[in-house]
Amino acid sequence: MNVMSMQRHTRKMPHSLPEGRAPLRRPGAGLPYLDAVSATDSMEHENQRLSAYEHQVKHAFDRIIPCVRKLAAIQYEEDFVPLASERIIDELDLTPPTDVLQKAWTRQLDVKQLVSHLTLATYYRFVSGVQHVNPLAHPQCADFVSFLADCGYHRMDITPCADGRLAHVIRYVLRLPAEVVRRKAYAGAAFAVEDNVAKWAEVELKRQQSAPGTNTKYLKVVAYHFSSIDGEREGCAAHGSDDRKAAEFGRDALLGFKNAVAQGFSRPDAVEGLLIGIDTATDSIVLHTPDLEGSIDIDSSLQSTDCVGMSSDKIRAYIGSYASHSSEGMQRLVSQLIENNLAQLAYVKTNHDGCYPDVGHAERFIGIGVGFDEIQLRNLMYFGYLTTIEEGAPDVDVGLKIFKGLNQSRGLSTPIVIRFDYYGSVAGARERAVARAGRVADALKSRYPDHFAAGDIHYLQLSRDLDTRAAPEFLGSNLPSLTEDNLS
Ligand SMILES: [Zn+2]
C-alpha cells in the first residue's frame, strides 16, 4: 500500500494528549474507523505527540541536577534525611538512596554518587515504563513494510553514528517505525561488516523460507552527520569533524558490506546501500543514492531543505530529475524519506525555531551493549553497540571523551548503562547475556582503571527478555546504593 496516500487517511487523534500517553493506547483507539483528516493536521498531531514524549523524558533527567543542588544546600540540617527523601520522591519520583543521604552530615553529601544514582535510576524507571506504554508506536507499521517491499526491499537496516544527536534518526528524523527498521550504532558509523553479514544471512534464510522466488534486496543505510552551526567543532568526533571524511567512510563501508555478501555468497545484487547525511543542528538530511551498479557519488546529493513546501508529486518529480541514476524503487523510497523529513523540519521549527539550542553534545548517559531500542530521542544517550569491550573499545573511548567535557569537567561521573537483551525462548540466552554484561563491566574496569579509581565511572548492568514486556532485570552496579530494591 502506498504510504503517501495512507497519510491522508489516518485515525483521528485527540487534540490534546496527556504527556507520554500514546494515542493508540487510549481506550477505543483500536476501533477501525477512519476519518479523513488533512495530511497537515495528521503531521501536526504526530509532532505534538512526539514533542510531548521528548519533553517528558528529557525533563525527568534534567530535574536531577537542580534537585541535588537544593539538597547540597541543606545537607547539614538536622532533619536532612527525611527532608531530602521527600524531595527526591516529590520532584523525581524515585526511591531515595538513604545510605548516601545518611552519610552527608558526618562527611559531605556525595554529589557525584547521588547524581549518578538518580540518573541511572531515572533511566531504569523510563525503560521499565516504556515496555507497557510503547509511546513511540508507529501508526503505520504494516503499511511501511509493504511500501518497502513495493520499492524492492525486504529489510531496512540503519547504522547511524553512536553520537547521541542521531539517536532519534529512525522515529523522528526519518519518521520510520522503529519496530521494523533495524538500528545498530557505531562511532563514526563504522559498523562491523562481519556482524552485518551474519545478520544479512539470517534475514535471507527467513526470506527464502517465507517468500521463496521473490527478488527483493536488503537495504543498508549509513547515516553520517555534520553540523551547519559550528561545523568545525560539532561534526562527527570519530572523523575529527571532517564532513567529507565521514561521508566517504560511510560510502566505503556500504561498498565493503555489499562486496562481502557478493563474494561470500555469490550474491552481487543482494544488498543495496544508501548514504544519508544528517545536519545535527537542524535535522535536515542529504541523500546520496546509489546507481544501478550500487556506486555512490558523494558529490551528488539530494537535500530535504530544497523540498520545503513541495507537494508529494513535486518531491517525486524533483527526485526523478536529480536521482535518475537510481532505480525506480530507490527513487520512491527517498521521495518518501524526504517527505517524512519535512515533518521533522516542521517539528524543529515549531519547537526550536528551526535550530536546536543544544547544537553540541548534551547526552545524559552512555549506553553500551545490545538493546536500547526504546531510546529514540536526540541527545539523551551516547550509544555503543558491542558484544565485547575489545570490539567496541573505540566507541567507548569516544563516548568517555565526550563525557569528559560534559560531566567530569564539572565534577560529575559518567553514568554508563551496560545492557544485554536476549530472547528468553532461546535456551541459555539469559545466561549468556548475564555473562556478557559481567565481562563488559570487568573489561571496563581494566581498560579505564584511572576513571574507576577516581570514581569517574558509575555503571548499572541490566538485561531484558525481549519475549516479554517485563522490566529489565537488575544485574549489578558499582554504586553500592543502587540495588534491586530501590530501583523498583
Ligand atoms: Zn559521529
Side-chain angles (χ1 to χ4, degrees), residues 383-403:
F383 177 45
Y385 167 75
L386 56 83
T387 48
T388 65
I389 281 286
E390 293 72 30
E391 166 201 310
D395 293 28
V396 180
D397 290 347
V398 172
L400 285 176
K401 202 173 145 198
I402 289 167
F403 271 81

Side-chain angles (χ1 to χ4, degrees), residues 246-448:
E248 285 173 351
F249 189 91
R251 175 198 62 194
D252 295 346
L254 285 170
L255 192 63
F257 175 48
K258 185 177 165 62
N259 286 343
V261 172
Q263 287 158 9
F265 296 85
S266 303
R267 296 282 308 279
D269 297 323
V271 171
E272 183 145 41
L274 169 65
L275 184 63
I276 300 182
I278 297 172
D279 176 3
T280 51
T282 66
D283 279 350
S284 67
I285 56 172
V286 297
L287 297 139
H288 309 274
T289 60
D291 66 14
L292 298 178
E293 306 300 316
S295 294
I296 289 172
D297 180 2
I298 299 294
D299 295 315
S300 150
S301 66
L302 305 158
Q303 302 188 14
S304 62
T305 47
D306 286 350
C307 301
V308 173
M310 284 188 190
S311 65
S312 302
D313 290 344
K314 280 208 167 143
I315 294 173
R316 188 72 183 78
Y318 167 86
I319 301 296
S321 46
Y322 289 99
S324 54
H325 58 282
S326 299
S327 70
E328 179 70 16
M330 177 56 77
Q331 290 185 33
R332 281 187 64 194
L333 177 79
V334 296
S335 299
Q336 187 63 55
L337 293 181
I338 284 191
E339 194 172 341
N340 291 0
N341 184 242
L342 295 185
Q344 180 64 7
L345 295 186
Y347 178 94
V348 179
K349 188 162 179 49
T350 303
N351 293 297
H352 307 289
D353 206 17
C355 179
Y356 285 106
D358 52 341
V359 163
H361 286 282
E363 291 96 334
R364 279 68 168 177
F365 60 96
I366 293 179
I368 53 176
V370 176
F372 301 103
D373 287 348
E374 69 288 331
I375 301 275
Q376 302 281 339
L377 293 174
R378 181 181 181 275
N379 239 345
L380 181 64
M381 176 184 82
Y382 174 90
F383 177 45
Y385 167 75
L386 56 83
T387 48
T388 65
I389 281 286
E390 293 72 30
E391 166 201 310
D395 293 28
V396 180
D397 290 347
V398 172
L400 285 176
K401 202 173 145 198
I402 289 167
F403 271 81
K404 194 174 174 190
L406 285 177
N407 279 19
Q408 275 167 254
S409 63
R410 50 179 179 156
L412 299 175
S413 304
T414 299
I416 299 184
V417 178
I418 300 168
R419 180 170 150 188
F420 285 89
D421 290 354
Y422 63 94
Y423 287 96
S425 52
V426 178
R430 180 188 168 277
E431 287 69 24
R432 283 191 290 275
V434 171
R436 273 181 177 167
R439 278 200 301 271
V440 165
D442 290 344
L444 268 183
K445 286 177 206 156
S446 52
R447 186 170 176 88
Y448 308 105

Side-chain angles (χ1 to χ4, degrees), residues 161-163 188 225 236-238:
C161 178
D163 191 307
H225 62 105
C236 184

Side-chain angles (χ1 to χ4, degrees), residues 30 60 70 76 90 128 131 134 147 149 177 189 232 238 288 329-330 338 346 353 374 393 427 441 455 472:
K70 281 186 267 175
Y76 298 113
D90 286 353
S128 305
Q131 308 312 326
N134 197 7
F147 168 73
E232 284 174 14
H288 309 274
M330 177 56 77
I338 284 191
D353 206 17
E374 69 288 331

Side-chain angles (χ1 to χ4, degrees), residues 2-276:
N2 188 322
V3 172
M4 283 181 260
S5 64
M6 276 304 296
Q7 285 187 340
R8 287 168 177 74
H9 298 89
T10 50
R11 285 193 189 103
K12 190 172 184 177
M13 302 291 186
H15 278 269
S16 59
L17 296 172
E19 279 195 353
R21 187 68 64 87
L24 291 179
R25 296 282 160 184
R26 289 168 70 88
L31 293 175
Y33 70 86
L34 293 174
D35 191 1
V37 290
S38 73
T40 309
D41 276 357
S42 167
M43 183 194 79
E44 281 175 8
H45 285 308
E46 176 80 339
N47 279 357
Q48 281 169 13
R49 176 187 165 204
L50 294 176
S51 168
Y53 178 67
E54 181 178 22
H55 180 78
Q56 181 205 22
V57 174
K58 286 190 172 167
H59 194 54
F61 285 94
D62 293 344
R63 280 191 299 243
I64 294 170
I65 298 279
C67 177
V68 173
R69 271 186 199 283
K70 281 186 267 175
L71 300 187
I74 58 164
Q75 61 183 297
Y76 298 113
E77 291 193 11
E78 208 174 320
D79 54 351
F80 172 67
V81 176
L83 211 62
S85 300
E86 201 180 302
R87 283 203 166 164
I88 288 172
I89 295 168
D90 286 353
E91 295 178 22
L92 307 178
D93 193 21
L94 295 172
T95 306
T98 316
D99 287 1
V100 181
L101 303 177
Q102 276 169 344
K103 286 174 187 156
W105 76 276
T106 50
R107 298 177 201 171
Q108 197 179 16
L109 183 63
D110 190 338
V111 168
K112 223 169 165 176
Q113 185 178 349
L114 185 58
V115 170
S116 291
H117 176 107
L118 297 172
T119 302
L120 293 167
T122 298
Y123 167 75
Y124 186 83
R125 195 196 50 203
F126 154 70
V127 74
S128 305
V130 163
Q131 308 312 326
H132 297 284
V133 185
N134 197 7
L136 290 179
H138 194 284
Q140 292 150 347
C141 219
D143 295 331
F144 176 72
V145 173
S146 53
F147 168 73
L148 202 58
D150 287 348
C151 294
Y153 309 104
H154 57 270
R155 176 61 73 101
M156 185 170 186
D157 166 341
I158 298 186
T159 286
C161 178
D163 191 307
R165 294 170 298 175
L166 270 72
H168 64 320
V169 60
I170 293 181
R171 191 62 187 88
Y172 283 73
V173 178
L174 301 176
R175 300 295 166 108
L176 299 173
E179 296 90 332
V180 293
V181 178
R182 179 181 191 253
R183 174 186 64 175
K184 289 285 174 268
Y186 295 86
F191 67 92
V193 170
E194 285 73 21
D195 178 82
N196 223 139
V197 170
K199 187 67 195 177
W200 171 83
E202 179 194 322
V203 170
E204 183 62 15
L205 187 64
K206 282 186 192 151
R207 185 180 76 88
Q208 286 180 5
Q209 286 165 350
S210 62
T214 54
N215 198 25
T216 49
K217 296 182 179 183
Y218 186 104
L219 177 66
K220 177 73 193 181
V221 181
V222 162
Y224 70 94
H225 62 105
F226 55 92
S227 176
S228 57
I229 307 280
D230 211 1
E232 284 174 14
R233 288 194 317 131
E234 299 300 352
C236 184
H239 296 296
S241 287
D242 183 333
D243 304 343
R244 186 164 183 93
K245 210 167 130 192
E248 285 173 351
F249 189 91
R251 175 198 62 194
D252 295 346
L254 285 170
L255 192 63
F257 175 48
K258 185 177 165 62
N259 286 343
V261 172
Q263 287 158 9
F265 296 85
S266 303
R267 296 282 308 279
D269 297 323
V271 171
E272 183 145 41
L274 169 65
L275 184 63
I276 300 182

